[in-house]
Amino acid sequence: MSSVAVLTQESFAEHRSGLIPQQIKVANLNSEEESDPPTYKDAFPPLPEKAACLESAQEPSGAWNNKIRPIKASVITQVFHVPLEERKYKDMNQFGEGEQAKICLEIMQRTGAHLELSLAKDQGLSIMVSGKLDAVMKARKDIVARLQTQASATVPIPKEHHRFVIGKNGEKLQDLELKTATKIQIPRPDDPSNQIKITGTKEGIEKARHEVLLISAEQDKRAVERLEVEKAFHPFIAGPYNRLVGEIMQETGTRINIPPPSVSRTEIVFTGEKEQLAQAVARIKKIYEEKKKKTTTIAVEVKKSQHKYVIGPKGNSLQEILERTGVSVEIPPSDSASETVILRGEPEKLGQALTEVYAKANSFTVSSVSAPSWLHRFIIGKKGQNLAKITQQMPKVHIEFTEGEDKITLEGPTEDVNVAQEQIESMVKDLINRMDYVEINIDHRFHRHLIGKSGANINRIKDQYKVSVRIPPDSEKSNLIRIEGDPQGVQQAKRELLELASRMENERTKDLIIEQRFHRTIIGQKGERIREIRDKFPEVIINFPDPAQKSDIVQLRGPKNEVEKCNKYMQKMVADLVENSYSISVPIFKQFHKNIIGKGGANIKKIREESNTKIDLPAENSNSETIVITGKRANCEAARSRILSIQKDLANIAEVEVSIPAKLHNSLIGTKGRLIRSIMEECGGVHIHFPVEGSGSDTVVIRGPSSDVEKAKKQLLHLAEEKQTKSFTVDIRAKPEYHKFLIGKGGGKIRKVRDSTGARIIFPAAEDKDQDLITIIGKEDAVREAQRELEALIQNLDNVVEDYMLVDPKHHRHFVIRRGQVLREIAEEYGGVMVSFPRSGTQSDKVTLKGAKDCVEAAKKRIQEIIEDLEAQVTVECAIPQKFHRSVMGPKGSRIQQITRDYNVQIKFPDREEAPAHGMEPAIQENGDEAGEGREADPDSPRRCDIITISGRKEKCEAAKEALEALVPVTIEVEVPFDLHRYIIGQKGSGIRKMMDEFEVNIHVPAPELQSDVIAITGLAANLDRAKTGLLERVKELQAEQEDRALRSFKLSVIVDPKYHPKIIGRKGAVITQIRLEHDVNIQFPDKDDGSQPQDQITITGYEKNTEAARDAILKIVGELEQMVSEDVPLDHRVHARIIGARGKAIRKIMDEFKVDIRFPQSGAPDPNCVTVTGLPENVEEAIDHILNLEEEYLADVVDSEALQVYMKPPVHEEAKAPSKGFVVRDAPWTAGSSEKAPDMSSSEEFPSFGAQVAPKTLPWGPKR
C-alpha cells in the first residue's frame, strides 16, 4: 500500500502559523513576484558583532544549560570468591598450572573477557573478571560451572507460572541463568511435574530460587476469568473502533481479549489482578445485560457484490455506522451465498442505520465498457500513460482489463465511474475508427528470421509503418502473427511480412561438414573472421553448432545462389586450413636441439618465418627427441629438410634408405614401438623413420652416425627376413634390478646370447607398465635356446650368497662419499648386490657383498678394478691461460663434463686470480728462501691460476689433457674492406650475432675510427675454417649487393600537370602502388608545402629499364585523363546522403558502373547543390542521367517525409519572456543616499578569485605573525 499526503488550505495555514515572522517574510518574498524587492539587510543579514559573541559566551544557550549525563564505561570489572570447600581443583602441586589454568584460558578465548586468579590465605580462590558486560556475565557463568563444585535444588511452583519464568522466546530464563550463574531446568509442558531444578553454587542457587519464587508470587496476584457473551453483542462491548473496551482496560488495568469477528468463539477472557478484574467483568456484564434488553434486529437484503462497500476498507464503514447510530451491522461471511444483512440496535436508531447501510452500498457501482481485447494495450497506452490521465482525475475508480475478454470493468463511486466510462467509451470509439488489426499465418520456423538480429527487421517495420507486430514466443510453436495500428500501415506491414516469409520459403538450407577443431579459427578472435564472411554474404545466415554438442555440421541458410557462393567460399577456407594443419615429426639428436634453436632462438625463428610453419620442440627436461612441424605439406617438408641439414652439418650423420615390404612395418615396430626402440637404443640411438601408414611406400629411413646406421640396417634387414620366414615370440619374467646385469656392461652379455642363438631380446622401456616382462623374438629353436640361457642366468641370480673381500681402508672413502654414489652404481649395474663397508673409525679392511652369485663375483671384479684405478691414479697439470677457462668449460660446464665422462678422470680448475692493482709492488720474500738459493722466478713459467689439474690413470689423464688443449680458442685474421663492416655487423648487430651463433666463434670488428680492414675470428680450431669461409662468402654477397644497388639507383623525371597527380596516386594510393609493384620502382611526388621544388615533376628510381616502363604507364594514365571532361550538375542537397549511401557504397557502385569520378560539395560550400562528374564524355552523360533519375525518385520521398513531420511535430509557440532583471535589493550600502562606496568589482581584494593570492594590507605595526 502507498500513502499520499494532501496539503489543504487549512493544513498549509497551520504549517505557516508555526513559522517565525522572519521565515514568513522570506516565504512571501519567494511566492509573490510582484511585491517590492527585499531590503539589503533582509537578504543579507549581518553577522553578530564581537560584543554579542562575548555576551552569548557568558550566557550559554539553553541547550548547553542541561546537565551532561555521565557516560557509562563500556568495560566493567567484577570480583567474586570461591571458598576452599567449593573449589573443584584444590589438590594442585603448583598454583597457575594444570587443568584450572587451561579452563581459564579457554574461557578467556571463548568470551573475550580477561581473568585474573589469586589465592587467598584461607585457600579460597579470588577471580577478577574484566571486559564488556555481556562477556563478563558469560565468563562468570562458565567459571562457576567449571571451577566450582556444583549443588542442586528444586523449587515447586504452579505449572501455569512456568511460562512466565521462561519468558518470551526463553529470554527471561537466559537472563536469569546469566545473572545467577546457574543452570535452571523447567519440565516440559507434557510433563505433569511442577518442580523446577536449579544447579550451581550455593549462593547462585539461593539467588535463582528467590527470583523464581518472586515471579510465581507476582503471578499469584493475577487472575484469569472467562465470560460467555453472545457473538452478536461483541461489537457493543468493544465499542466503535474498540474505544469502549480500551477505556475499561485502561481504567481497571485488566487485559480483555475479545475474539475477532472471523473467529467463532464467544468467550471473552479477562487477565489481571483480582480486584480490578472483578470491576472489569462487572462493567462488561452490565453493558451486555443492557444491550440484551434494549436492542432489536431487522434483516435487509443487500446485493452480495455491495457487501464490501458496506464493510469498507478494514471494516471502517461498519465502525462508522456503529459510532454514529450505535447500531451493529452483521454481514454474512464472504464464502456464504446469503445476501441478508442484520442490523442490531435500539429501535429508534435502526432507521438511521438502515439509511446509512443503503447509502454505503450504493455509493460504489460496477460498470463495464465493451472494447475489443486487442485495443486494450492502446487504451492503457505506453507505460500506462493514457490510463493514468483517467485515474489521476478519479483516483477512487478501479479499472480492470481481463485478458482475452472484450470488455473493461470499472468499479468505484457512481459519479466517478460514469465520468470514467464516458471517457473510455470515447477513447474506444476513436481507436476503432483509426486503428485496424490483421492476423497472418507464417510458419513459426521463420519467426526469428522475421525478427532479425537484435530485432532489427521487426523494429524497422514497426517504425516504418507505425504499427505494432505481435509475434508469439518460440515455446508456443504458434504460426499466428498479429499486426495492429493504422489501417494503411497494417496492410503494408502485412504485405512485407508475407513477402519476407515467401522469400524464406524459397530459401535453401545447406549443411556444411567442417571439423569442429576448425570452428574457432573460422569464427576468429571476437568473431572478426565470421563477421567478414557475413558482410560478404549478408543474405546468408551462418549457424555454428554449440561447442558442447561436438557436432561438425555448420548450417547455411539464404537465397539459393548466395548459399552456393558462401558454401564454395567456406569450403575453400576449410581446404586452406586443412592444408595448413599438415603435421610431421622429425627425430633430431637431443644434443643438436640447441643448435637448431640458435642463440636467442634466432635459427628456429628464421626457419619458422621463411617456411611459414609452426615448429614445436620438446621441453629441455623431456627425454623426447622429436620436433613437430605444422603447416602446409610443402612448407613442412622444406622446414624438415633445413632442420636435418643443420644436424648433418654439425655431426657425421649418415642417412640410409632400406626397402622393407610395407606389410611387415607394423610387426617390426612392435607393440607400442618396443621392438624398433630396442634396435635404436642398441645401435647408439639411431633414428629409424617408417613411412606413414597407408602410403604404400616400402622405404624405411635410418639416420645417425655412419657405423651405427650400418649396424641398424643389418639388424633391421635380419629381423625383416625372420618375420617373412616365420617369427616366434616368448615372454619371460625377471626382477627389474636384474635387467642391467643380464644386459651386461655395454650390452656385452645380451649380445653374446643374441649372437649365439640368433634371437632378439627386448627389455622393457622406462615408460612401460610391466617392468618385469622380457620379450624374445626370432625363429622358434633360436628363441627356445635364448629362453633357456636367460632362465639359467635368472635362476643363478635368485640364489643369494654372501661373500667378502679385502679393501685397504684408505680407499673406503672413495666408495662411500657423495652418499655412496659409487656403491649405488655398482648395485644398479650388478643386479642389486648389497656392498657393506665397515663403519668409519674401525680399522677393518673387510668388505661384505650379498646378492646373486654371478652378481657378487662381477661386483667384486668391478671393485677390484676401481681400486687398481685409484692406486694407479696420477695427477697431471695442464697450463691454459685463465682468460680461456670459461671457453674451455663450455656452457654450464658441458664440455668439461663430457671429458670427465669420456676419459673417467677428475678435472679441477684453479680459483680465479684478481689482477694486481696498478702500481702495486710484488710481495717481499720473507726469510730469504728464494734469495738464499740465488734463483729468480722464471717469467715464462705458468701462473698458478692458469694450471688445471687432471686426476686419473696416466694414459687417460694424457688423453684428457690433449682434449682440453684442443678446446683452447685460436684467433685468425681475415681481410675485409672497411666500407663493408657495417653491413657485416647488420642492424643492431643482428648480422654478426647470427654468424657467431652459426659457427660458434667470436668475431671482432675493429672500431670505426681505426679504419682497419682486419676482422679477428676467435674460436675452436675446428670451427675457424668454416667461420672464415662463411665470412668471405658474406663479403662476396655484399659486394654483389653494392653493384646491384648502384644499378637500382637510376633516376628518371617525368613532367605531369599537378591536377592529374591525385588520379595517378588513386584511392588510398592504389594506382601508384600497382605501378610501383609491377615495375619494381620507387615513385616520388613533389612535396606541396615545399615551394623550392617544381610541382609538376615526378621522380622514378630503379633499374633503367623498369623506370622507363613505369614512366610509360604514368604517361598512359595522363593521356586518358586529358581526354576526360568535368561537368557540374545541380542536385538537391537533401538527396545527397541517399545517393552516397552507407559508407559511400552506393556512390562507389555508380562510379564503378559508369567509370566516372563524382565529387559532392563540402559542408559550407557556396552552392550546396553543385555536384561535379568527371570522366570520358559519353560516360559522364550516362552517369548524370542516372543521378538525376535517382534525385527525382528520392526527392518525392523527402517531400512526403517533410510534410508528415509538420503534422507529427507541430511548432511550439513560446511566449516571449521578459528579460530577467536579475536579483534586486533595496537600501543597499552603495545606493545614492549611503555614504559607503559601492564595491569595486575590478578589485582582487574585494572580489578575490579562487586559488589566487590576495596582496595583504600593510599594517602600521608590520605583518601578522
Side-chain angles (χ1 to χ4, degrees):
M1 290 286 290
S2 62
S3 60
V4 180
V6 181
L7 189 66
T8 61
Q9 284 289 336
E10 295 80 15
S11 63
F12 181 60
E14 189 182 332
H15 166 69
R16 286 198 52 189
S17 67
L19 297 172
I20 59 171
Q22 198 174 6
Q23 285 173 315
I24 292 171
K25 190 182 282 185
V26 174
N28 283 333
L29 285 172
N30 292 339
S31 58
E32 295 176 17
E33 290 179 9
E34 302 303 318
S35 64
D36 291 337
T39 65
Y40 179 79
K41 289 238 170 115
D42 285 341
F44 303 103
L47 292 169
E49 295 295 324
K50 268 192 180 174
C53 293
L54 290 169
E55 282 167 28
S56 62
Q58 286 162 5
E59 295 176 14
S61 61
W64 294 98
N65 279 337
N66 298 336
K67 271 192 177 179
I68 299 170
R69 285 177 292 175
I71 298 168
K72 286 185 181 177
S74 61
V75 175
I76 64 159
T77 303
Q78 280 191 11
V79 179
F80 54 98
H81 192 71
V82 179
L84 175 65
E85 61 273 13
E86 289 183 21
R87 277 178 59 194
K88 197 179 270 190
Y89 304 99
K90 49 190 167 191
D91 303 324
M92 291 189 302
N93 296 332
Q94 195 172 346
F95 182 70
E97 290 183 358
E99 197 64 32
Q100 184 173 280
K102 283 183 189 172
I103 288 167
C104 289
L105 276 170
E106 278 178 36
I107 293 168
M108 283 163 71
Q109 284 169 357
R110 202 171 68 76
T111 63
H114 178 68
L115 306 187
E116 284 184 26
L117 276 72
S118 58
L119 211 57
K121 286 181 183 177
D122 62 354
Q123 294 299 300
L125 196 66
S126 289
I127 303 163
M128 185 167 79
V129 189
S130 307
K132 293 197 173 174
L133 179 63
D134 188 38
V136 168
M137 298 306 280
K138 283 180 184 172
R140 186 174 161 220
K141 186 185 171 188
D142 278 6
I143 289 163
V144 167
R146 299 178 71 179
L147 296 183
Q148 210 165 349
T149 53
Q150 304 288 297
S152 67
T154 56
V155 184
I157 65 165
K159 188 81 177 170
E160 59 266 25
H161 295 175
H162 286 192
R163 64 192 182 92
F164 297 105
V165 176
I166 295 166
K168 191 177 181 182
N169 297 327
E171 285 173 6
K172 182 93 172 173
L173 183 64
Q174 285 173 12
D175 193 38
L176 197 58
E177 284 183 336
L178 273 176
K179 211 165 21 169
T180 61
T182 57
K183 175 74 182 161
I184 302 169
Q185 289 172 294
I186 295 171
R188 295 177 65 80
D190 50 4
D191 187 346
S193 170
N194 64 353
Q195 300 281 341
I196 291 177
K197 187 180 178 184
I198 306 169
T199 310
T201 61
K202 284 180 185 176
E203 186 191 349
I205 289 169
E206 285 303 316
K207 277 186 184 176
R209 192 166 178 274
H210 171 72
E211 290 288 338
V212 169
L213 289 171
L214 203 65
I215 291 164
S216 181
E218 271 180 27
Q219 295 308 317
D220 275 341
K221 290 179 189 174
R222 299 176 72 79
V224 177
E225 192 168 328
R226 288 175 170 78
L227 180 65
E228 287 287 334
V229 175
E230 286 178 54
K231 190 80 178 169
F233 293 96
H234 284 190
F236 299 113
I237 290 162
Y241 302 104
N242 290 329
R243 281 186 202 138
L244 184 57
V245 78
E247 281 170 21
I248 296 168
M249 283 163 68
Q250 201 170 358
E251 286 168 17
T252 61
T254 306
R255 192 172 165 205
I256 303 168
N257 185 10
I258 300 172
S262 56
V263 178
S264 58
R265 280 165 55 200
T266 57
E267 66 178 14
I268 296 172
V269 181
F270 299 80
T271 312
E273 294 193 7
K274 288 175 183 176
E275 290 175 14
Q276 284 99 325
L277 186 139
Q279 286 176 22
V281 171
R283 281 181 68 175
I284 281 173
K285 273 183 179 175
K286 187 182 173 187
I287 293 165
Y288 175 45
E289 295 299 331
E290 274 181 18
K291 291 294 176 187
K292 265 183 97 172
K293 284 177 190 173
K294 290 184 181 178
T295 58
T296 182
T297 60
I298 58 166
V300 293
E301 295 295 313
V302 177
K303 283 182 188 176
K304 191 77 181 172
S305 62
Q306 292 179 324
H307 285 191
K308 60 183 177 183
Y309 307 130
V310 176
I311 296 165
K314 294 184 182 177
N316 280 350
S317 296
L318 293 178
Q319 296 295 333
E320 202 179 309
I321 294 166
L322 182 62
E323 185 179 32
R324 285 186 187 170
T325 63
V327 172
S328 161
V329 180
E330 294 165 29
I331 306 285
S334 56
D335 53 358
S336 162
S338 171
E339 293 189 336
T340 306
V341 173
I342 297 166
L343 283 75
R344 188 183 301 274
E346 294 172 17
E348 63 273 17
K349 301 280 180 72
L350 285 173
Q352 187 189 343
L354 184 60
T355 309
E356 290 215 11
V357 166
Y358 278 123
K360 296 281 182 196
N362 295 321
S363 63
F364 279 75
T365 186
V366 177
S367 180
S368 65
V369 176
S370 291
S373 58
W374 67 272
L375 280 179
H376 289 184
R377 288 187 315 108
F378 300 103
I379 293 165
I380 294 164
K382 196 174 183 181
K383 294 182 182 176
Q385 284 174 351
N386 296 349
L387 210 58
K389 291 173 188 173
I390 298 169
T391 52
Q392 280 167 9
Q393 287 172 12
M394 288 150 282
K396 290 182 182 176
V397 176
H398 173 69
I399 303 169
E400 192 177 324
F401 294 83
T402 312
E403 198 174 340
E405 286 188 20
D406 292 344
K407 67 170 185 177
I408 301 165
T409 308
L410 289 84
E411 188 180 318
T414 313
E415 289 180 11
D416 288 358
V417 166
N418 292 337
V419 175
Q421 187 175 347
E422 282 176 24
Q423 287 187 12
I424 290 171
E425 280 174 348
S426 66
M427 203 185 283
V428 169
K429 194 176 178 182
D430 174 53
L431 285 169
I432 288 170
N433 289 338
R434 63 185 180 84
M435 299 287 274
D436 193 8
Y437 81 93
V438 72
E439 288 178 346
I440 55 174
N441 273 301
I442 293 175
D443 194 324
H444 68 270
R445 290 177 300 133
F446 304 141
H447 288 187
R448 64 195 188 94
H449 303 300
L450 293 177
I451 293 165
K453 193 176 181 182
S454 304
N457 285 355
I458 207 72
N459 288 338
R460 179 185 58 77
I461 291 168
K462 283 178 181 177
D463 294 343
Q464 192 173 341
Y465 302 118
K466 305 290 183 286
V467 292
S468 166
V469 182
R470 304 191 70 190
I471 296 175
D474 288 346
S475 55
E476 286 183 20
K477 305 285 184 193
S478 168
N479 296 343
L480 200 68
I481 293 177
R482 188 183 179 94
I483 310 166
E484 300 163 356
D486 174 64
Q488 190 181 348
V490 165
Q491 292 305 317
Q492 287 174 324
K494 176 187 172 181
R495 196 181 311 119
E496 184 161 340
L497 284 172
L498 289 171
E499 278 175 16
L500 280 170
S502 66
R503 202 183 306 156
M504 281 172 198
E505 282 170 0
N506 296 329
E507 279 180 353
R508 181 174 173 192
T509 302
K510 185 159 188 169
D511 289 344
L512 188 60
I513 307 296
I514 298 173
E515 283 182 67
Q516 198 180 29
R517 65 192 173 111
F518 296 130
H519 290 189
R520 186 173 284 183
T521 316
I522 293 167
I523 292 165
Q525 195 176 12
K526 295 181 182 176
E528 286 172 4
R529 291 187 73 175
I530 198 67
R531 209 176 295 124
E532 283 175 23
I533 298 169
R534 283 182 175 140
D535 289 345
K536 210 176 188 77
F537 306 100
E539 292 181 57
V540 179
I541 295 157
I542 305 166
N543 287 325
F544 283 86
D546 192 318
Q549 292 175 357
K550 305 285 182 193
S551 170
D552 293 341
I553 297 168
V554 176
Q555 196 179 68
L556 308 179
R557 181 179 180 81
K560 188 177 175 181
N561 294 342
E562 288 296 305
V563 165
E564 284 302 324
K565 284 180 192 172
C566 185
N567 179 39
K568 281 180 186 171
Y569 181 82
M570 287 186 76
Q571 278 180 339
K572 186 177 180 295
M573 184 187 273
V574 172
D576 289 345
L577 287 172
V578 170
E579 190 182 353
N580 286 324
S581 64
Y582 178 76
S583 178
I584 52 171
S585 299
V586 189
I588 296 292
F589 294 103
K590 193 82 177 175
Q591 64 263 38
F592 301 130
H593 282 202
K594 58 183 173 59
N595 305 93
I596 286 158
I597 295 165
K599 195 169 183 180
N603 288 0
I604 201 76
K605 190 179 177 184
K606 188 180 178 185
I607 296 168
R608 279 175 181 147
E609 286 173 359
E610 290 181 4
S611 63
N612 193 22
T613 55
K614 182 187 173 195
I615 302 172
D616 294 314
L617 287 99
E620 269 186 47
N621 52 2
S622 161
N623 293 325
S624 171
E625 294 187 331
T626 307
I627 295 173
V628 179
I629 308 169
T630 311
K632 288 186 177 179
R633 185 168 189 152
N635 294 351
C636 289
E637 295 290 350
R640 180 172 67 175
S641 304
R642 288 190 61 172
I643 288 170
L644 290 172
S645 69
I646 291 171
Q647 180 180 248
K648 202 169 182 180
D649 292 346
L650 290 166
N652 181 22
I653 302 296
E655 191 176 288
V656 171
E657 290 183 354
V658 184
S659 185
I660 295 170
K663 63 182 179 181
L664 296 176
H665 290 184
N666 281 345
S667 60
L668 288 174
I669 292 165
T671 312
K672 293 183 181 175
R674 283 180 69 198
L675 186 54
I676 202 70
R677 194 164 55 237
S678 74
I679 296 172
M680 290 196 292
E681 284 169 6
E682 193 181 324
C683 301
V686 296
H687 291 146
I688 300 173
H689 180 69
F690 282 83
V692 180
E693 196 175 351
S695 65
S697 172
D698 294 344
T699 306
V700 178
V701 179
I702 308 169
R703 194 180 295 114
S706 304
S707 56
D708 294 336
V709 166
E710 282 305 317
K711 194 173 169 187
K713 179 182 175 183
K714 200 182 289 179
Q715 285 201 27
L716 200 60
L717 290 169
H718 178 65
L719 193 60
E721 195 181 321
E722 278 182 9
K723 290 280 180 191
Q724 272 181 314
T725 52
K726 193 175 182 186
S727 182
F728 185 71
T729 306
V730 163
D731 291 337
I732 61 170
R733 291 187 170 274
K735 290 178 186 175
E737 55 264 30
Y738 293 166
H739 291 188
K740 272 195 175 179
F741 186 74
L742 292 172
I743 293 164
K745 196 170 183 182
K749 283 188 180 179
I750 208 70
R751 198 180 300 113
K752 197 174 173 185
V753 174
R754 193 176 290 154
D755 293 345
S756 64
T757 61
R760 168 161 292 281
I761 301 154
I762 301 165
F763 284 84
E767 61 267 19
D768 288 347
K769 284 183 184 175
D770 194 346
Q771 289 291 308
D772 291 0
L773 195 71
I774 300 169
T775 307
I776 310 169
I777 299 169
K779 292 178 183 175
E780 189 174 357
D781 54 344
V783 168
R784 293 292 181 202
E785 194 181 338
Q787 184 184 2
R788 276 194 297 276
E789 286 191 33
L790 279 175
E791 281 174 346
L793 282 168
I794 291 162
Q795 197 172 355
N796 287 344
L797 290 171
D798 285 335
N799 298 330
V800 176
V801 296
E802 191 172 315
D803 200 354
Y804 72 92
M805 65 184 293
L806 300 175
V807 177
D808 194 324
K810 69 179 181 182
H811 297 312
H812 288 193
R813 189 172 177 276
H814 175 79
F815 289 95
V816 296
I817 58 168
R818 296 195 300 278
R819 297 182 183 177
Q821 188 180 340
V822 176
L823 294 180
R824 272 203 309 276
E825 286 171 3
I826 290 170
E828 281 176 21
E829 199 169 336
Y830 300 104
V833 70
M834 286 172 65
V835 184
S836 302
F837 276 77
R839 287 179 180 277
S840 59
T842 60
Q843 289 302 309
S844 171
D845 58 357
K846 187 177 178 181
V847 175
T848 309
L849 296 94
K850 190 177 182 181
K853 189 178 178 183
D854 292 352
C855 292
V856 167
E857 288 303 320
K860 277 172 76 177
K861 193 177 174 185
R862 175 69 185 128
I863 290 168
Q864 201 59 49
E865 282 174 12
I866 291 168
I867 291 164
E868 284 172 17
D869 283 351
L870 289 170
E871 286 176 347
Q873 196 173 60
V874 296
T875 300
V876 173
E877 290 183 349
C878 177
I880 293 174
Q882 191 184 30
K883 62 181 179 179
F884 298 130
H885 285 190
R886 185 170 290 183
S887 173
V888 169
M889 285 179 188
K892 296 180 183 176
S894 59
R895 289 175 181 165
I896 288 300
Q897 287 164 15
Q898 189 65 43
I899 293 170
T900 55
R901 277 197 299 271
D902 291 349
Y903 301 103
N904 194 20
V905 292
Q906 297 292 321
I907 300 172
K908 187 174 185 299
F909 278 79
D911 294 332
R912 288 184 68 79
E913 186 181 86
E914 298 296 327
H918 184 67
M920 269 182 70
E921 289 185 11
I924 298 163
Q925 296 288 337
E926 289 186 10
N927 302 327
D929 292 342
E930 296 274 330
E933 291 173 20
R935 285 187 289 109
E936 287 184 7
D938 184 3
D940 297 330
S941 65
R943 295 180 304 161
R944 190 178 296 167
C945 62
D946 295 342
I947 294 169
I948 299 166
T949 54
I950 308 164
S951 306
R953 279 183 172 271
K954 189 174 182 182
E955 61 277 11
K956 290 190 175 178
C957 286
E958 291 298 336
K961 184 180 177 183
E962 285 176 21
L964 278 175
E965 285 170 345
L967 293 173
V968 176
V970 183
T971 302
I972 59 166
E973 292 181 346
V974 182
E975 289 274 342
V976 175
F978 174 73
D979 59 329
L980 296 180
H981 286 195
R982 63 195 183 98
Y983 300 112
I984 286 167
I985 293 167
Q987 195 173 15
K988 293 182 181 176
S990 59
I992 203 155
R993 253 198 320 274
K994 184 185 167 191
M995 287 173 76
M996 289 197 292
D997 292 343
E998 192 177 338
F999 303 117
E1000 292 185 356
V1001 293
N1002 182 40
I1003 301 173
H1004 176 70
V1005 179
E1009 56 269 19
L1010 297 176
Q1011 300 277 315
S1012 170
D1013 289 347
V1014 177
I1015 289 178
I1017 306 172
T1018 306
L1020 300 181
N1023 297 338
L1024 288 178
D1025 289 339
R1026 284 195 309 123
K1028 184 178 178 181
T1029 309
L1031 182 60
L1032 293 172
E1033 281 177 7
R1034 178 69 181 138
V1035 168
K1036 283 180 186 172
E1037 282 175 23
L1038 291 169
Q1039 285 172 341
E1041 280 176 20
Q1042 271 187 334
E1043 290 170 14
D1044 186 57
R1045 211 176 292 122
L1047 292 171
R1048 284 178 66 91
S1049 303
F1050 181 78
K1051 285 192 177 181
L1052 186 68
S1053 295
V1054 189
I1055 305 299
V1056 176
D1057 194 323
K1059 70 179 181 183
Y1060 298 131
H1061 288 190
K1063 292 291 177 189
I1064 295 167
I1065 293 166
R1067 184 179 169 77
K1068 293 182 182 177
V1071 177
I1072 203 68
T1073 304
Q1074 179 74 21
I1075 296 169
R1076 281 177 182 145
L1077 293 172
E1078 200 176 314
H1079 301 288
D1080 189 21
V1081 293
N1082 180 33
I1083 302 170
Q1084 193 70 37
F1085 283 82
D1087 187 353
K1088 288 180 183 176
D1089 301 329
D1090 189 358
S1092 61
Q1093 62 183 101
Q1095 293 296 302
D1096 58 353
Q1097 189 171 300
I1098 298 172
T1099 307
I1100 308 168
T1101 311
Y1103 292 116
E1104 187 176 357
K1105 184 172 67 176
N1106 294 358
T1107 54
E1108 286 170 356
R1111 178 194 61 192
D1112 295 343
I1114 289 170
L1115 291 174
K1116 185 184 176 187
I1117 292 167
V1118 171
E1120 288 174 3
L1121 291 170
E1122 282 172 347
Q1123 292 176 17
M1124 289 185 181
V1125 294
S1126 285
E1127 278 194 38
D1128 291 343
V1129 188
L1131 204 67
D1132 196 307
H1133 65 275
R1134 290 175 292 176
V1135 298
H1136 286 192
R1138 281 194 71 179
I1139 290 171
I1140 292 165
R1143 295 182 183 176
K1145 279 185 181 176
I1147 198 68
R1148 270 203 300 279
K1149 192 178 176 185
I1150 295 167
M1151 290 196 291
D1152 292 345
E1153 190 181 334
F1154 295 101
K1155 294 184 177 57
V1156 293
D1157 181 56
I1158 302 170
R1159 297 280 168 203
F1160 285 83
Q1162 292 182 342
S1163 58
D1167 185 358
N1169 298 334
C1170 182
V1171 174
T1172 307
V1173 185
T1174 308
L1176 294 172
E1178 59 274 16
N1179 294 352
V1180 168
E1181 282 179 23
E1182 287 176 17
I1184 290 171
D1185 289 345
H1186 181 72
I1187 293 168
L1188 291 172
N1189 289 339
L1190 287 175
E1191 179 197 26
E1192 194 177 333
E1193 184 186 327
Y1194 295 154
L1195 207 53
D1197 293 348
V1198 169
V1199 170
D1200 291 350
S1201 176
E1202 284 177 355
L1204 193 62
Q1205 288 297 320
V1206 173
Y1207 294 103
M1208 294 298 284
K1209 292 184 183 175
V1212 180
H1213 299 294
E1214 292 187 3
E1215 291 180 15
K1217 290 182 182 176
S1220 173
K1221 293 179 183 176
F1223 183 69
V1224 181
V1225 291
R1226 293 181 288 118
D1227 305 334
W1230 55 81
T1231 48
S1234 174
S1235 60
E1236 290 183 42
K1237 257 171 63 184
D1240 179 10
M1241 291 175 70
S1242 62
S1243 164
S1244 62
E1245 244 180 71
E1246 293 187 25
F1247 292 92
S1249 62
F1250 288 113
Q1253 290 189 341
V1254 180
K1257 288 185 179 178
T1258 51
L1259 302 172
W1261 48 83
K1264 286 183 183 178
R1265 296 193 181 276

